[in-house]
Amino acid sequence: MEAMEAMEAMETMSNTNILQIWKKKILFGYYCSPAVVFPEMENAGFSFRLFPNGRVIWQTYFLNRKKEPMVKHSGMMDISEDSVSKISRILAGYAKETDDFPEFINNGTCDGSFNDFVFCGKFVSSLNIRYNDVAQVMRENPKYYEEFRFDMADENKVLAIFTGICDVLRADGIELYLYHLKIANEKII
């Protein structure tokens, strides 16, 4: 798909999650969006999509009066074949884990930000995803551990994959974090 077609399709998106639209076409994707929204919200998150050919498209969003996400800013670039190959190997190494991920990881939070990921077509979402020291949680909060132990394990695996991919992207001047993005030292969000 041509980059221009991709950009035009994004400008007409509705309330549907951007990664749900593109999950079968992208190698890796990330979308951070607020859980609580209101009309004409100025900062409604950002998305980052890496296609198998190395094309990267990122976008920031605002909400219109109907609380529908609209593209605020967008950009694109290509990353090196070496980086695409390294990311593909990371994803292949976690293929069994990503296949087993539930679509939603529940860690007990109900507000904050959605952290949505796509790994080779597999979509997974969480509110306020975080790394968990499982042994510490087991000692300090056994009730929480019992209720969310499988979710904590999934969160840790998702973040291990995300961190590995982010480490590779830095070689191409992309600094992707859970709540912000910098491209070539320019803060996008």
Side-chain angles (χ1 to χ4, degrees):
M1 171 176 276
E2 292 294 320
M4 221 35 197
E5 288 176 61
M7 300 298 267
E8 289 171 3
M10 293 315 310
E11 290 173 8
T12 61
M13 70 184 217
S14 67
N15 283 327
T16 307
N17 184 303
I18 190 71
L19 294 184
Q20 287 284 23
I21 296 168
W22 288 97
K23 71 181 181 180
K24 295 296 182 194
K25 296 179 191 292
I26 58 179
L27 182 62
F28 164 72
Y30 178 67
Y31 182 35
C32 179
S33 61
V36 178
V37 297
F38 53 87
E40 299 180 349
M41 187 176 206
E42 285 294 317
N43 181 1
F46 72 98
S47 67
F48 179 92
R49 290 166 312 237
L50 169 62
F51 292 83
N53 66 357
R55 174 68 38 104
V56 169
I57 297 175
W58 65 89
Q59 295 177 308
T60 62
Y61 305 97
F62 70 95
L63 300 181
N64 66 17
R65 288 183 180 168
K66 297 178 182 178
K67 297 194 269 187
E68 298 168 330
M70 305 298 290
V71 175
K72 186 174 183 179
H73 299 289
S74 61
M76 71 178 115
M77 67 179 285
D78 293 318
I79 65 170
S80 69
E81 286 182 35
D82 184 51
S83 291
V84 173
S85 177
K86 287 177 182 176
I87 291 169
S88 295
R89 284 195 304 274
I90 289 169
L91 293 169
Y94 283 99
K96 172 75 172 104
E97 288 87 345
T98 56
D99 284 346
D100 291 341
F101 284 145
E103 189 165 292
F104 185 74
I105 298 172
N106 178 15
N107 61 17
T109 60
C110 353
D111 60 7
S113 295
F114 280 102
N115 307 107
D116 300 334
F117 305 84
V118 168
F119 305 117
C120 292
K122 176 67 177 194
F123 175 84
V124 65
S125 180
S126 180
L127 267 167
N128 306 314
I129 195 167
R130 63 183 176 264
Y131 175 78
N132 297 279
D133 181 333
V134 177
Q136 181 180 354
V137 173
M138 193 175 1
R139 281 190 316 274
E140 295 176 4
N141 193 344
K143 184 178 176 183
Y144 183 88
Y145 171 79
E146 273 307 309
E147 186 172 353
F148 297 107
R149 66 181 180 210
F150 298 113
D151 296 287
M152 287 190 292
D154 288 338
E155 282 183 310
N156 288 352
K157 288 176 200 166
V158 166
L159 289 174
I161 299 166
F162 179 76
T163 301
I165 291 170
C166 292
D167 289 346
V168 172
L169 292 170
R170 283 189 188 91
D172 289 289
I174 298 170
E175 294 180 51
L176 176 61
Y177 301 95
L178 288 175
Y179 300 102
H180 65 275
L181 172 66
K182 286 173 76 176
I183 307 284
N185 292 321
E186 178 186 339
K187 186 174 180 180
I188 305 300
I189 191 160

